[in-house]
Amino acid sequence: MASTLDTIATGARVAIIRVRSLGDCVLTTPALELLHRHRPDLELGVVVEDRFRGVFEHHPAVAEILEPTVVAVRAFRPQMVINFHGGTRSAVLTLSCGARVRAGFAHHAGAQAYNVRIPRAQEILGEERTVHTAEHLASAMFYLGVPQSEIPRASLFAPEGRPEDGVYAVLHPFASAPGKAWPAARFVETASRLGMRAVVLAGPHDDVRPFEAFRVYRNAPLEQVKQLLRGAALFIGNDSGPAHVAASFDIPVVVLFGTSDPVIWAPWRAPNRILTSPEGLASIPVEACLNASAELGVRA
C-alpha cells in the first residue's frame, strides 16, 4: 500500500508548521532530518516565528524559513503541509495554505483541518509507554512513509566564531515558572566550585543580580547563543529551551527538573544527568549537581 509520501511529487514543497517555543523547535529537527534522508528531493519550508528562526538557519534539511502568515505559506506553494504546532493559528495556516495533503496529529483540537490524521505515537511505534517529544514528532514521519529507524539527535548549526575563549561552562539559572527553577544561590555556589569559568544565559526580564560576578549574556541573539553553547565544556540549567540547544551540540548537560516530566522533555541523545526530587527543586543540594557534572567527566 502506498504511503502518503509516495503520493508527493518529486521536488515538491512541504511546509512544516512549528510556530514557536525554543525547545519544541529544537526537538523538531530529528523529524526533519528523517524526512530529508528519505526524500532529499523535497523542498522543506519551516513555518516559525522570527525569534526562533535561528534554530533552523543553516540546516541542510531546510530549504526555506517562512513567517507564520497565510500570505507567506501560500506563496511557498506547498503540495503538503505537516502541522506540528496544533493550535488555532496553525490550523488556520493549514487550511489556508492551498496544500493538497494536510497532515497533523488526530488528537489536535483542530484535527478537522487535516485530511491525513496521524495517530498516537504509541500506536505508530507499537509500544505503550510515555514517549519523548522527539519520538512523538518523529513518529509522524514514520506514519507518513519514512521507514522506521533510529531517531537521530537534534541538530543545530552555528556560524563560525566563538564568543568565549578557553574552557567554560554555560549556566541557565532561569525558567518560565517558579516551580521549574532551582534556587539562584545554588547556581552561584555550583559555578564557584566547578573548577572552570562559568558564563550565564539570561532572558530580557530575568533577574541577573545574583550573578553579577559572572559574565551574563542577556537576551543574546540565538546565533550567538548557539555559538556559545557549541563551544562550551558543560551546560547546567533548569528545564528549558537552552538545555535542548546545548544537547544538540552533544555537550554534557545537567538539567534540573521541577514540574515537567523528564521522560518527555529530557535532553535527547546527548550525555546528560537529570536531577529531580519529589520534594521539589529546593531540596536538591549543590553536591548533587557537582556529582552529576563529575559523572559526565567534568570534575570540580
Side-chain angles (χ1 to χ4, degrees):
M1 181 178 175
S3 70
T4 300
L5 284 172
D6 289 335
T7 71
I8 304 302
T10 300
R13 293 178 172 181
V14 176
I16 312 291
I17 300 178
R18 177 65 277 175
V19 183
R20 70 172 71 90
S21 297
L22 182 56
D24 286 336
C25 287
V26 173
L27 292 174
T28 299
T29 62
L32 292 177
E33 186 170 337
L34 286 167
L35 178 56
H36 182 63
R37 287 179 187 175
H38 179 60
R39 289 290 304 272
D41 60 290
L42 299 176
E43 290 190 39
L44 306 185
V46 177
V47 183
V48 67
E49 291 178 351
D50 187 65
R51 56 186 168 147
F52 302 115
R53 66 179 289 124
V55 172
F56 304 103
E57 285 177 338
H58 316 294
H59 199 294
V62 179
E64 195 166 338
I65 300 172
L66 309 170
E67 294 180 358
T69 65
V70 171
V71 171
V73 181
R74 283 188 68 87
F76 185 62
R77 300 179 65 186
Q79 187 176 129
M80 178 181 186
V81 59
I82 305 170
N83 184 4
F84 277 149
H85 186 71
T88 302
R89 181 184 183 188
S90 63
V92 170
L93 291 172
T94 300
L95 278 172
S96 306
C97 71
R100 175 177 61 82
V101 178
R102 304 182 305 278
F105 286 104
H107 64 268
H108 285 171
Q112 64 271 17
Y114 314 137
N115 54 22
V116 176
R117 297 179 183 176
I118 302 169
R120 297 165 59 244
Q122 287 83 353
E123 181 178 335
I124 298 167
L125 299 174
E127 49 186 310
E128 282 298 324
R129 60 175 174 81
T130 301
V131 300
H132 192 278
T133 300
E135 295 177 291
H136 170 66
L137 298 174
S139 74
M141 298 307 181
F142 299 149
Y143 182 78
L144 295 171
V146 174
Q148 287 201 30
S149 61
E150 182 176 83
I151 300 167
R153 192 176 72 242
S155 52
L156 273 65
F157 297 84
E160 293 301 317
R162 285 168 55 104
E164 292 287 330
D165 294 324
V167 179
Y168 60 92
V170 175
L171 274 60
H172 183 247
F174 307 103
S176 59
K180 298 177 69 174
W182 200 38
R186 307 242 178 115
F187 276 105
V188 171
E189 183 180 348
T190 298
S192 68
R193 297 174 56 189
L194 271 178
M196 70 176 71
R197 185 163 50 91
V199 299
V200 174
L201 279 177
H205 307 298
D206 292 327
D207 182 6
V208 299
R209 288 174 295 178
F211 306 99
E212 291 176 347
F214 305 95
R215 181 169 183 182
V216 176
Y217 286 80
R218 180 192 281 275
N219 200 31
L222 190 49
E223 289 295 279
Q224 187 178 46
V225 171
K226 290 193 296 183
Q227 289 178 319
L228 183 70
L229 289 169
R230 181 185 61 184
L234 174 69
F235 173 90
I236 300 175
N238 298 312
D239 165 40
S240 60
H244 297 292
V245 177
S248 76
F249 291 112
D250 203 29
I251 69 167
V253 175
V254 178
V255 185
L256 297 112
F257 272 82
T259 55
S260 299
D261 185 347
V263 175
I264 299 173
W265 292 107
W268 178 248
R269 295 199 182 283
N272 72 82
R273 291 294 182 272
I274 301 302
L275 300 180
T276 187
S277 171
E279 287 78 37
L281 282 173
S283 67
I284 299 175
V286 168
E287 292 299 332
C289 193
L290 293 173
N291 290 339
S293 301
E295 290 171 5
L296 290 169
V298 183
R299 297 190 174 276

